[in-house]
Amino acid sequence: MRFGVIGTNWITEEFIRSGMEVEGFSRTAVYSRTEERAKEFAEMMGAPHIFTDIRAMAESKEIDAVYIASPNSFHARQAILCMEHGLHVLCEKPFASNADEVRAMLAAAEQHGVLLMEAVKPTFAPNFRAIQENLHKLGKIRRYFAANCQYSSRYDAFKSGTVLNAFDPAFSNGALMDIGIYCLYPLVVLFGMPDSVKAEAVMLESGVDGEGSILMKYEDKEAVVIYSKITDSYLPTEIQGELATMVIDKINHLKKIEIRYRDGRVEDITREQTPKLMHYEIREFMELAKRGERQSATNTHASSLYTMEIMDEARRQIGLVYPADLPGAED
């Protein structure tokens, strides 16, 4: 599969390096707004084609699929443009700025008969399969608790007066979109859409959230999520049942998973997996496209939409509005 990449940052570099270890992957084209950066990145990554016009890349017939890792506020329009030209799209999380944009992306995928998948990589890992296949051992599940708090390397610049993309609302960024989604997406894959959402956050001077917490209610269980880009946390994630509790070291890495039973027994259900979790999502994406599938059975279109709807409601409650949310934003 011939991939073009949109975005020339560290995550795109990781994607290409991981992809080159997957059979059938071809690094074919790089898009950047500037020719200098496109050439620099393409030479570093060994891609033969560069583009500074995204429409020209979509129309070029040089690629079969795109990996989108541009700022969040560009995801929807870039994905839709590529799908209109018959390209399969693997789009970094979060899928878009809001649920309306996600719905437009899903409609485009359906209309043009292409594969569209959100690149939330932990849910493709063998250890996530271990979680799914062992949930029944917990008895009736009563609580999902997930923590993902990572002090951002860009926060020091922010405190010094430089607002980089990570803390700029113009790019639909902030802690919820960047960090909190790692807690929310697995929740939705495992348990679906909650009945209610209650959110709180610490807002920063730029207008985005630095950290926050979300309490969600299901008919017979609750979910508690905490996330941050301005503090660190060393808490594990837990799925608590009436018979046992599943303890997950890091919800965004899934390196170690145990079940701790009420009688004192501890069962290690960790599975062997590569630390390069991108291998699994790239392989999944390529296999789906080869089979003519239009969505993943794991990172489904519904899971992506539900996760964004939760984040929309959380943002509504904490007062976080992006330019992309405003009428006429697409113009």
Side-chain angles (χ1 to χ4, degrees), residues 303-318:
S303 291
S304 293
L305 179 58
Y306 292 161
T307 301
M308 188 59 69
E309 287 178 339
I310 293 171
M311 294 197 292
D312 278 3
E313 177 58 21
R315 289 199 297 114
R316 186 190 68 79
Q317 292 183 24
I318 65 177

PDB file of all heavy atoms in Angstrom, residues 303-318:
ATOM      1  N   SER A 303     -17.528   4.062  17.571  1.00  0.00           N
ATOM      2  CA  SER A 303     -16.662   4.366  18.721  1.00  0.00           C
ATOM      3  C   SER A 303     -16.032   5.742  18.568  1.00  0.00           C
ATOM      4  O   SER A 303     -15.925   6.499  19.548  1.00  0.00           O
ATOM      5  CB  SER A 303     -15.580   3.297  18.861  1.00  0.00           C
ATOM      6  OG  SER A 303     -16.125   2.065  19.263  1.00  0.00           O
ATOM      7  N   SER A 304     -15.612   6.068  17.364  1.00  0.00           N
ATOM      8  CA  SER A 304     -15.014   7.390  17.135  1.00  0.00           C
ATOM      9  C   SER A 304     -16.042   8.497  17.342  1.00  0.00           C
ATOM     10  O   SER A 304     -15.746   9.535  17.947  1.00  0.00           O
ATOM     11  CB  SER A 304     -14.443   7.468  15.718  1.00  0.00           C
ATOM     12  OG  SER A 304     -13.342   6.593  15.575  1.00  0.00           O
ATOM     13  N   LEU A 305     -17.256   8.287  16.866  1.00  0.00           N
ATOM     14  CA  LEU A 305     -18.302   9.298  17.024  1.00  0.00           C
ATOM     15  C   LEU A 305     -18.708   9.439  18.488  1.00  0.00           C
ATOM     16  O   LEU A 305     -18.820  10.560  18.996  1.00  0.00           O
ATOM     17  CB  LEU A 305     -19.510   8.938  16.173  1.00  0.00           C
ATOM     18  CG  LEU A 305     -20.700   9.895  16.260  1.00  0.00           C
ATOM     19  CD1 LEU A 305     -20.307  11.308  15.860  1.00  0.00           C
ATOM     20  CD2 LEU A 305     -21.860   9.397  15.393  1.00  0.00           C
ATOM     21  N   TYR A 306     -18.919   8.322  19.184  1.00  0.00           N
ATOM     22  CA  TYR A 306     -19.326   8.382  20.589  1.00  0.00           C
ATOM     23  C   TYR A 306     -18.261   9.077  21.440  1.00  0.00           C
ATOM     24  O   TYR A 306     -18.581   9.890  22.316  1.00  0.00           O
ATOM     25  CB  TYR A 306     -19.574   6.983  21.149  1.00  0.00           C
ATOM     26  CG  TYR A 306     -20.775   6.259  20.563  1.00  0.00           C
ATOM     27  CD1 TYR A 306     -20.894   4.874  20.678  1.00  0.00           C
ATOM     28  CD2 TYR A 306     -21.780   6.946  19.901  1.00  0.00           C
ATOM     29  CE1 TYR A 306     -21.984   4.204  20.149  1.00  0.00           C
ATOM     30  CE2 TYR A 306     -22.868   6.277  19.365  1.00  0.00           C
ATOM     31  CZ  TYR A 306     -22.965   4.905  19.495  1.00  0.00           C
ATOM     32  OH  TYR A 306     -24.042   4.236  18.964  1.00  0.00           O
ATOM     33  N   THR A 307     -16.995   8.757  21.177  1.00  0.00           N
ATOM     34  CA  THR A 307     -15.919   9.388  21.944  1.00  0.00           C
ATOM     35  C   THR A 307     -15.921  10.892  21.732  1.00  0.00           C
ATOM     36  O   THR A 307     -15.783  11.671  22.685  1.00  0.00           O
ATOM     37  CB  THR A 307     -14.558   8.796  21.547  1.00  0.00           C
ATOM     38  OG1 THR A 307     -14.567   7.382  21.784  1.00  0.00           O
ATOM     39  CG2 THR A 307     -13.431   9.426  22.352  1.00  0.00           C
ATOM     40  N   MET A 308     -16.121  11.312  20.500  1.00  0.00           N
ATOM     41  CA  MET A 308     -16.158  12.748  20.223  1.00  0.00           C
ATOM     42  C   MET A 308     -17.392  13.400  20.837  1.00  0.00           C
ATOM     43  O   MET A 308     -17.317  14.544  21.323  1.00  0.00           O
ATOM     44  CB  MET A 308     -16.112  13.000  18.714  1.00  0.00           C
ATOM     45  CG  MET A 308     -15.955  14.462  18.340  1.00  0.00           C
ATOM     46  SD  MET A 308     -14.454  15.242  19.015  1.00  0.00           S
ATOM     47  CE  MET A 308     -13.190  14.398  18.064  1.00  0.00           C
ATOM     48  N   GLU A 309     -18.503  12.692  20.851  1.00  0.00           N
ATOM     49  CA  GLU A 309     -19.705  13.253  21.486  1.00  0.00           C
ATOM     50  C   GLU A 309     -19.482  13.441  22.989  1.00  0.00           C
ATOM     51  O   GLU A 309     -19.951  14.443  23.568  1.00  0.00           O
ATOM     52  CB  GLU A 309     -20.903  12.342  21.226  1.00  0.00           C
ATOM     53  CG  GLU A 309     -21.400  12.409  19.786  1.00  0.00           C
ATOM     54  CD  GLU A 309     -22.557  11.472  19.491  1.00  0.00           C
ATOM     55  OE1 GLU A 309     -22.742  10.482  20.239  1.00  0.00           O
ATOM     56  OE2 GLU A 309     -23.288  11.724  18.511  1.00  0.00           O
ATOM     57  N   ILE A 310     -18.789  12.526  23.632  1.00  0.00           N
ATOM     58  CA  ILE A 310     -18.452  12.693  25.054  1.00  0.00           C
ATOM     59  C   ILE A 310     -17.574  13.921  25.229  1.00  0.00           C
ATOM     60  O   ILE A 310     -17.795  14.750  26.125  1.00  0.00           O
ATOM     61  CB  ILE A 310     -17.738  11.445  25.602  1.00  0.00           C
ATOM     62  CG1 ILE A 310     -18.686  10.250  25.632  1.00  0.00           C
ATOM     63  CG2 ILE A 310     -17.194  11.712  27.006  1.00  0.00           C
ATOM     64  CD1 ILE A 310     -17.998   8.929  25.953  1.00  0.00           C
ATOM     65  N   MET A 311     -16.568  14.061  24.370  1.00  0.00           N
ATOM     66  CA  MET A 311     -15.664  15.201  24.491  1.00  0.00           C
ATOM     67  C   MET A 311     -16.374  16.514  24.184  1.00  0.00           C
ATOM     68  O   MET A 311     -16.093  17.539  24.817  1.00  0.00           O
ATOM     69  CB  MET A 311     -14.443  14.994  23.606  1.00  0.00           C
ATOM     70  CG  MET A 311     -13.569  13.826  24.069  1.00  0.00           C
ATOM     71  SD  MET A 311     -11.888  13.811  23.389  1.00  0.00           S
ATOM     72  CE  MET A 311     -12.230  13.470  21.667  1.00  0.00           C
ATOM     73  N   ASP A 312     -17.287  16.501  23.235  1.00  0.00           N
ATOM     74  CA  ASP A 312     -18.083  17.708  22.968  1.00  0.00           C
ATOM     75  C   ASP A 312     -18.864  18.138  24.200  1.00  0.00           C
ATOM     76  O   ASP A 312     -18.917  19.330  24.549  1.00  0.00           O
ATOM     77  CB  ASP A 312     -19.062  17.450  21.822  1.00  0.00           C
ATOM     78  CG  ASP A 312     -18.430  17.597  20.443  1.00  0.00           C
ATOM     79  OD1 ASP A 312     -17.209  17.844  20.358  1.00  0.00           O
ATOM     80  OD2 ASP A 312     -19.174  17.473  19.442  1.00  0.00           O
ATOM     81  N   GLU A 313     -19.514  17.174  24.856  1.00  0.00           N
ATOM     82  CA  GLU A 313     -20.301  17.493  26.042  1.00  0.00           C
ATOM     83  C   GLU A 313     -19.398  17.957  27.178  1.00  0.00           C
ATOM     84  O   GLU A 313     -19.738  18.916  27.904  1.00  0.00           O
ATOM     85  CB  GLU A 313     -21.130  16.275  26.474  1.00  0.00           C
ATOM     86  CG  GLU A 313     -21.938  16.474  27.757  1.00  0.00           C
ATOM     87  CD  GLU A 313     -22.919  17.631  27.707  1.00  0.00           C
ATOM     88  OE1 GLU A 313     -23.299  18.064  26.592  1.00  0.00           O
ATOM     89  OE2 GLU A 313     -23.312  18.116  28.794  1.00  0.00           O
ATOM     90  N   ALA A 314     -18.252  17.305  27.342  1.00  0.00           N
ATOM     91  CA  ALA A 314     -17.308  17.740  28.376  1.00  0.00           C
ATOM     92  C   ALA A 314     -16.835  19.159  28.095  1.00  0.00           C
ATOM     93  O   ALA A 314     -16.788  20.009  29.009  1.00  0.00           O
ATOM     94  CB  ALA A 314     -16.121  16.782  28.439  1.00  0.00           C
ATOM     95  N   ARG A 315     -16.525  19.460  26.843  1.00  0.00           N
ATOM     96  CA  ARG A 315     -16.081  20.815  26.500  1.00  0.00           C
ATOM     97  C   ARG A 315     -17.191  21.835  26.724  1.00  0.00           C
ATOM     98  O   ARG A 315     -16.941  22.968  27.150  1.00  0.00           O
ATOM     99  CB  ARG A 315     -15.593  20.871  25.049  1.00  0.00           C
ATOM    100  CG  ARG A 315     -14.284  20.165  24.814  1.00  0.00           C
ATOM    101  CD  ARG A 315     -13.595  20.610  23.521  1.00  0.00           C
ATOM    102  NE  ARG A 315     -14.346  20.302  22.324  1.00  0.00           N
ATOM    103  CZ  ARG A 315     -14.870  21.214  21.510  1.00  0.00           C
ATOM    104  NH1 ARG A 315     -14.762  22.510  21.780  1.00  0.00           N
ATOM    105  NH2 ARG A 315     -15.528  20.851  20.416  1.00  0.00           N
ATOM    106  N   ARG A 316     -18.426  21.444  26.434  1.00  0.00           N
ATOM    107  CA  ARG A 316     -19.546  22.355  26.674  1.00  0.00           C
ATOM    108  C   ARG A 316     -19.617  22.717  28.152  1.00  0.00           C
ATOM    109  O   ARG A 316     -19.818  23.891  28.516  1.00  0.00           O
ATOM    110  CB  ARG A 316     -20.859  21.711  26.228  1.00  0.00           C
ATOM    111  CG  ARG A 316     -22.060  22.641  26.308  1.00  0.00           C
ATOM    112  CD  ARG A 316     -23.365  21.898  26.102  1.00  0.00           C
ATOM    113  NE  ARG A 316     -23.653  20.982  27.209  1.00  0.00           N
ATOM    114  CZ  ARG A 316     -24.155  21.372  28.390  1.00  0.00           C
ATOM    115  NH1 ARG A 316     -24.413  22.664  28.624  1.00  0.00           N
ATOM    116  NH2 ARG A 316     -24.401  20.486  29.338  1.00  0.00           N
ATOM    117  N   GLN A 317     -19.434  21.733  29.010  1.00  0.00           N
ATOM    118  CA  GLN A 317     -19.553  21.970  30.451  1.00  0.00           C
ATOM    119  C   GLN A 317     -18.399  22.789  31.016  1.00  0.00           C
ATOM    120  O   GLN A 317     -18.585  23.564  31.956  1.00  0.00           O
ATOM    121  CB  GLN A 317     -19.665  20.635  31.180  1.00  0.00           C
ATOM    122  CG  GLN A 317     -20.960  19.895  30.893  1.00  0.00           C
ATOM    123  CD  GLN A 317     -21.093  18.601  31.667  1.00  0.00           C
ATOM    124  OE1 GLN A 317     -20.486  18.419  32.729  1.00  0.00           O
ATOM    125  NE2 GLN A 317     -21.902  17.674  31.158  1.00  0.00           N
ATOM    126  N   ILE A 318     -17.197  22.609  30.461  1.00  0.00           N
ATOM    127  CA  ILE A 318     -16.047  23.355  30.999  1.00  0.00           C
ATOM    128  C   ILE A 318     -15.823  24.676  30.265  1.00  0.00           C
ATOM    129  O   ILE A 318     -14.936  25.457  30.632  1.00  0.00           O
ATOM    130  CB  ILE A 318     -14.758  22.513  30.958  1.00  0.00           C
ATOM    131  CG1 ILE A 318     -14.331  22.197  29.529  1.00  0.00           C
ATOM    132  CG2 ILE A 318     -14.934  21.230  31.781  1.00  0.00           C
ATOM    133  CD1 ILE A 318     -13.020  21.427  29.422  1.00  0.00           C
TER     134      ILE A 318
END
